[in-house]
Amino acid sequence: MAISFVRTLILYVLVVAALRIMGKRQVGELQPGELVVAIMISDLGTIPLADTALPLAGGIIPILTLIGAELLLSILSLKSEKIRRIFSGSPSVIIRNGELCRKEMKKNRYSLEDLAESLRMKDIYNIDDVYTAILETNGSLSVIPKSDKRSLKAEDFNLPYEQETLPFVIIADGKVYKKHLKEAGVDENWLKKTLKSHKISSPEEVFLLTADSDKNTVIQLKNNK
């Protein structure tokens, strides 16, 4: 039992590390080569677990080999467009200038139902509203709507606008993140004044405090339910 427990922990850490090396992507965003490697690593990890009579190295060595091959291929793909096209493919234009490219759809075995479903996921319900649609190498669809069908923006009305920024977590569960203070353009004195203005005596009372570049804050206390 102890041996099985240790072997499981070792393989678990190794498989997780391997997937982390491949980058922060969802399964649907993996390139074909990355998906193959992920599947093979998962399968190789289960072999030594299913049969404890097999040496642990029989699972570790193939996994490390796949990791090395994936890293090497990633480096080569960055340096060579030809290699990148061979292993990852290239985007295909499904709709060009408002016209369906039937040849590309047939080449990618991409049906009208597939196209309609992908467009609906982008809140587009009429193919005629699309000027350009590109099928990316990971299977997602990038869409450029026709000019008269796109959403209106502030610049269309010559309205003044400011660039929105992500809020920074200043306090999380009572802990102050000094690095985020600097990124938000504030300091500890600002934090003390902010807490005092909300009648908060200590950061430990705060469950969450965020601030954006304009110093707009959101505060959630621990005692709030």
Side-chain angles (χ1 to χ4, degrees):
M1 292 293 292
I3 294 177
S4 297
F5 178 74
V6 173
R7 286 163 66 98
T8 301
L9 285 181
I10 293 174
L11 288 170
Y12 170 76
V13 172
L14 184 60
V15 171
V16 170
L19 296 178
R20 290 287 290 113
I21 290 173
M22 291 174 62
K24 298 181 178 179
R25 300 199 194 191
Q26 298 179 9
V27 175
E29 296 176 345
L30 293 176
Q31 299 292 342
E34 295 171 334
L35 181 59
V36 170
V37 171
I39 293 173
M40 292 182 67
I41 286 176
S42 299
D43 287 342
L44 288 170
T46 60
I47 294 174
L49 295 181
D51 188 356
T52 54
L54 294 175
L56 189 60
I60 293 178
I61 293 176
I63 291 176
L64 293 177
T65 301
L66 285 174
I67 296 174
E70 171 62 24
L71 290 175
L72 178 61
L73 181 60
S74 298
I75 294 172
L76 293 176
S77 296
L78 289 174
K79 296 183 178 181
S80 172
E81 182 179 351
K82 185 176 181 179
I83 292 178
R84 182 167 61 252
R85 188 180 298 113
I86 291 173
F87 286 95
S88 298
S90 56
S92 300
V93 180
I94 302 300
I95 300 177
R96 187 192 302 273
N97 300 334
E99 298 291 334
L100 286 170
C101 301
R102 297 174 62 185
K103 184 177 179 180
E104 288 297 318
M105 293 182 67
K106 185 176 181 180
K107 175 183 175 182
N108 290 277
R109 297 182 296 280
Y110 200 71
S111 68
L112 287 172
E113 289 76 12
D114 295 330
L115 176 60
E117 180 181 353
S118 297
L119 291 176
R120 286 196 299 271
M121 294 177 68
K122 296 181 178 296
D123 295 328
I124 298 176
Y125 302 95
N126 191 342
I127 295 179
D128 193 47
D129 293 345
V130 180
Y131 183 74
T132 302
I134 302 173
L135 183 63
E136 306 293 354
T137 56
N138 59 11
S140 64
L141 191 71
S142 299
V143 178
I144 301 176
K146 292 181 178 178
S147 297
D148 58 337
K149 300 296 182 181
R150 67 179 177 84
S151 301
L152 294 175
K153 301 178 181 179
E155 60 184 336
D156 296 326
F157 300 96
N158 294 321
L159 296 175
Y161 63 92
E162 295 182 0
Q163 179 62 50
E164 295 180 353
T165 60
L166 290 174
F168 297 94
V169 177
I170 306 300
I171 300 178
D173 200 12
K175 180 182 178 181
V176 178
Y177 289 84
K178 296 183 179 180
K179 178 182 177 181
H180 293 178
L181 280 171
K182 185 177 180 180
E183 291 174 341
V186 296
D187 54 23
E188 293 189 35
N189 289 329
W190 172 88
L191 179 58
K192 291 178 181 178
K193 292 179 181 178
T194 301
L195 294 178
K196 185 177 180 180
S197 65
H198 287 82
K199 300 180 180 180
I200 301 172
S201 58
S202 171
E204 295 181 359
E205 300 177 21
V206 180
F207 179 71
L208 177 67
L209 188 153
T210 64
D212 58 21
S213 57
D214 294 325
K215 299 182 178 58
N216 297 316
T217 60
V218 174
I219 299 177
Q220 178 76 47
L221 299 179
K222 290 184 178 181
N223 58 4
N224 287 354
K225 297 182 180 180

